[in-house]
Amino acid sequence: MAPSTKPGENMLWGGRFTGLVQGGHPGQHRLRPGQHQGGILTEDEFAKIEQGLKDVMKEWETDSFKIVPGVDEDIHTANERRLGEIIGKDVAGKLHTGRSRNEQVACDMRMWLRDRLREIEGYLRAQPIRWSHWMLSYGLAFAADLERLRETIKRVNKSPLGCGALAGNPFGIDRDMMAAELGFDGLLWNSMGGVADRDFVAEMLSWSSMLMIHISRWAEDLIIYSTAEFGFVRLADAYSTGSSLMPQKKNPDSLELLRGKSGRVVGREVGFKMTLKGLASTYNKDLQESWEPMLDTVKSVADSIRIAEGVLATLETRPDRMKASLDPFMLATDLADYLVRKGVPFRETHHISGHYEQLREVDARFEPDVAACFDYEKSVEMRSAKGGTSKECVFEQIRVLNKMLEAEA
């Protein structure tokens, strides 16, 4: 059975038009000649159904479609009922031949989710800037999320049409042709699995959890960096609010909301997987529980990415405050590295370098050139192995990041 969602909502766009006997989306493609030759429709009937569905689509687009309470059980019966009013019930009645609402619902979900994930793919872009290594740590994490998203889309984009309610289709339909017409990359090969499979929703939820964990950690860092104690960054007014108690204070509301949304998304994933784990083969009514987490998570993720992009695009960095926070104690490791180059065992250097205020008294191997260690810029530049903090390493990471973003889905 199809879910009891109100007909006409955007999530069921695919469901409005996937009922043609030989498949196709009349808003996207003109079906090729011969696609009505499964022996069920004449060429004239095919033309009437195609035109009729286009007329139905226009009514949805103009918000003029009238839902009939008590008659329209779901989006599929609503479309079929209206099609019959437009072209006649005798022809429209053939629309559902060889179709099961189980497979139609699964197809609707995959088409809707495929299109939404492709939109999210367009949102998910890293924006590295020159306070660099921290930014790139998240930029590369988000780029890896983008790679995982592209892999997820490949598995979402498989067609269940032709699987029937569970045992397949008896009318010799061309499943490959229908899949191609609807923009799918291939087929689900087992009819029982095809109508019951919601792994594509679970995988999307898992991917979303990973992304939102990264966004949450990024937001937490910026919340800390924006505090008065650090003051490394300042949020734009559009992404923060004033404090009723302290007028000079800015509350990082946008970042706190992003951090909070991550818990919601992770919870959706866990909850849905608990639904899946105990289901028997083929379609079970429990699978209606896939709709709400799918819809809510897609919206939460899409909104969160755009908010994060807005925060980053309007963020004011304060390099003077960053420089003021530098402390010579941060260079203890550089002193240890200095001693390693003098031949001191690495484990011993950590004890010695912790007492560098009286360097010569601690160890005679400290020579006048040790003064070069007390240079923050040099300290950063010394980390020149791939993935390090030197400028060349940062530029290399940016090049790697750009390649990841440019890679085809």
Side-chain angles (χ1 to χ4, degrees):
M1 293 292 289
S4 56
T5 309
K6 177 183 176 182
E9 293 185 1
N10 285 339
M11 68 175 188
L12 289 178
W13 178 268
R16 300 172 191 173
F17 307 114
T18 56
L20 289 174
V21 170
Q22 294 294 352
H25 190 314
Q28 294 179 333
H29 305 287
R30 174 65 173 93
L31 303 187
R32 297 187 298 271
Q35 290 182 356
H36 57 280
Q37 293 179 3
I40 306 298
L41 297 177
T42 67
E43 185 173 354
D44 181 60
E45 288 171 336
F46 174 84
K48 286 181 179 179
I49 288 177
E50 183 181 32
Q51 184 56 51
L53 285 174
K54 288 181 178 179
D55 294 339
V56 173
M57 179 169 65
K58 289 177 183 177
E59 292 186 4
W60 285 112
E61 290 173 340
T62 59
D63 224 13
S64 61
F65 189 98
K66 302 297 183 184
I67 298 168
V68 181
V71 175
D72 296 337
E73 297 178 25
D74 61 14
I75 194 70
H76 307 100
T77 56
N79 283 334
E80 187 173 335
R81 186 262 309 160
R82 181 60 184 139
L83 181 66
E85 293 171 354
I86 294 173
I87 68 171
K89 293 183 179 179
D90 289 344
V91 177
K94 295 187 176 184
L95 178 68
H96 196 64
T97 305
R99 282 285 184 271
S100 160
R101 278 193 290 180
N102 288 352
E103 63 177 323
Q104 286 182 296
V105 168
C107 184
D108 298 345
M109 293 180 72
R110 286 177 179 272
M111 291 177 67
W112 183 88
L113 185 58
R114 171 194 68 193
D115 294 344
R116 300 296 78 75
L117 291 181
R118 284 173 176 166
E119 289 177 6
I120 289 174
E121 180 184 355
Y123 302 149
L124 191 57
R125 294 290 181 269
Q127 301 178 40
I129 57 177
R130 183 55 184 115
W131 61 298
S132 62
H133 206 58
W134 175 82
M135 290 292 294
L136 281 164
S137 71
Y138 284 103
L140 289 162
F142 292 138
D145 289 329
L146 179 59
E147 289 181 330
R148 282 187 283 267
L149 174 62
R150 289 167 174 169
E151 287 297 318
T152 299
I153 292 173
K154 290 178 183 178
R155 284 180 284 279
V156 169
N157 201 29
K158 302 293 183 182
S159 174
L161 279 184
C163 287
L166 63 93
N169 187 289
F171 295 104
I173 63 173
D174 187 342
R175 290 193 66 202
D176 294 299
M177 177 276 297
M178 290 194 298
E181 282 294 328
L182 294 177
F184 288 109
D185 294 330
L187 303 176
L188 294 172
W189 284 101
N190 182 277
S191 62
M192 290 180 68
V195 296
D197 178 21
R198 295 296 183 273
D199 288 357
F200 68 98
V201 177
E203 184 173 1
M204 181 276 294
L205 295 175
S206 296
W207 173 82
S208 299
S209 293
M210 179 72 76
L211 171 71
M212 291 301 295
I213 287 170
H214 291 155
I215 288 179
S216 180
R217 293 178 60 197
W218 173 83
E220 170 65 7
D221 280 356
L222 284 181
I223 288 170
I224 293 171
Y225 293 159
S226 68
T227 61
E229 291 82 359
F230 286 81
F232 294 169
V233 298
R234 185 189 297 275
L235 295 177
D237 290 343
Y239 294 94
S240 59
T241 59
S243 168
S244 58
L245 181 64
M246 297 173 285
Q248 80 284 3
K249 184 175 181 289
K250 276 191 172 186
N251 293 319
D253 288 1
S254 56
L255 296 171
E256 291 172 358
L257 289 170
L258 289 174
R259 191 174 57 186
K261 284 290 186 185
S262 67
R264 178 186 183 121
V265 170
V266 172
R268 291 292 196 188
E269 177 198 358
V270 174
F272 180 60
K273 286 181 176 178
M274 290 304 97
T275 298
L276 284 183
K277 71 177 183 62
L279 297 184
S281 297
T282 71
Y283 185 80
N284 295 269
K285 200 75 168 180
D286 313 50
L287 291 177
Q288 287 202 15
E289 290 299 312
S290 61
W291 285 93
E292 186 175 348
M294 181 182 76
L295 296 171
D296 184 70
T297 297
V298 166
K299 186 177 190 307
S300 295
V301 168
D303 290 348
S304 295
I305 292 173
R306 284 177 283 189
I307 291 170
E309 287 177 342
V311 169
L312 191 57
T314 59
L315 192 70
E316 176 192 346
T317 58
R318 306 176 70 187
D320 56 325
R321 292 294 300 268
M322 297 179 191
K323 290 178 181 177
S325 70
L326 296 173
D327 189 301
F329 281 97
M330 296 177 182
L331 298 172
T333 301
D334 294 83
L335 289 170
D337 294 344
Y338 171 90
L339 290 173
V340 168
R341 294 186 182 94
K342 297 291 185 179
V344 179
F346 187 75
R347 289 188 180 276
E348 185 181 343
T349 65
H350 279 270
H351 170 72
I352 296 171
S353 64
H355 302 276
Y356 62 82
E357 291 177 354
Q358 299 85 29
L359 294 178
R360 291 289 298 174
E361 296 177 15
V362 172
D363 195 293
R365 285 167 290 192
F366 282 116
E367 299 178 12
D369 62 351
V370 73
C373 292
F374 295 93
D375 183 326
Y376 298 109
E377 185 69 23
K378 180 180 178 182
S379 175
V380 171
E381 288 300 309
M382 289 292 288
R383 273 68 182 174
S384 58
K386 289 181 183 292
T389 56
S390 71
K391 285 184 179 179
E392 182 50 42
C393 287
V394 168
F395 292 146
E396 183 178 37
Q397 291 171 54
I398 292 173
R399 291 191 292 270
V400 169
L401 181 58
N402 284 332
K403 288 181 180 178
M404 293 172 72
L405 296 178
E406 292 166 2
E408 293 185 3

